[in-house]
Amino acid sequence: MRIFMIAVTLIMLTGLTGLSGCSYLFYPRAGEYLERAKGPTGVDTILNLIPMLEASSKAAHGQDYQPAMDDLHNQFHALHDAFCQVDKPQSETPTYAKAVTIDKELWTIFKRLWWNRTEQALRDVHLDLFARRLSELRETLQPLKG
């Protein structure tokens, strides 16, 4: 019974950490990218991360795609964490609401990209779609720039 309780507690802690959104337990390099992109505001940080994501996305088109995919994965988690840094007034705007929607679309695209990363044609299609959404995210957030 004691082992069962310990296992349940560990599972719950892992779940809570994973659901908290802004942590680096499973993606420690995300913190490095977030720090490198740090701007005066959360929106500026997001805008600074977009070129990094675009560069990794472009590099992931090649034959040696895995290092770029790993970078993209960590940068994408940094982007998600940067959304947690947007201040309250900016986060209550319709522009930010649109950015959150684009971020959710990016998650859907990224998941399919990750699942299909070994198949060149599918990877390229998803990388192109991902890059277009990043461009749209940049255009959306530009008016909120600090």
Side-chain angles (χ1 to χ4, degrees), residues 36-108:
R36 198 178 321 164
K38 189 78 173 145
T41 69
V43 169
D44 290 308
T45 301
I46 293 168
L47 290 169
N48 292 341
L49 279 163
I50 291 173
M52 291 181 202
L53 286 153
E54 289 171 329
S56 294
S57 180
K58 186 175 182 179
H61 278 280
Q63 291 297 320
D64 186 25
Y65 63 89
Q66 194 57 53
M69 286 295 298
D70 291 339
D71 287 341
L72 185 65
H73 194 180
N74 280 281
Q75 291 163 355
F76 194 51
H77 282 281
L79 178 71
H80 179 68
D81 292 344
F83 270 86
C84 297
Q85 298 178 358
V86 174
D87 62 20
K88 188 170 173 87
Q90 287 180 325
S91 70
E92 294 174 339
T93 64
T95 299
Y96 182 77
K98 180 180 178 184
V100 169
T101 299
I102 295 167
D103 182 53
K104 289 178 189 236
E105 291 173 353
L106 283 165
W107 275 102
T108 300

Side-chain angles (χ1 to χ4, degrees), residues 128-141:
D128 291 343
L129 186 55
F130 190 82
R132 283 195 297 275
R133 286 297 182 276
L134 285 173
S135 249
E136 189 178 353
L137 181 62
R138 176 189 292 113
E139 291 169 13
T140 299
L141 287 174

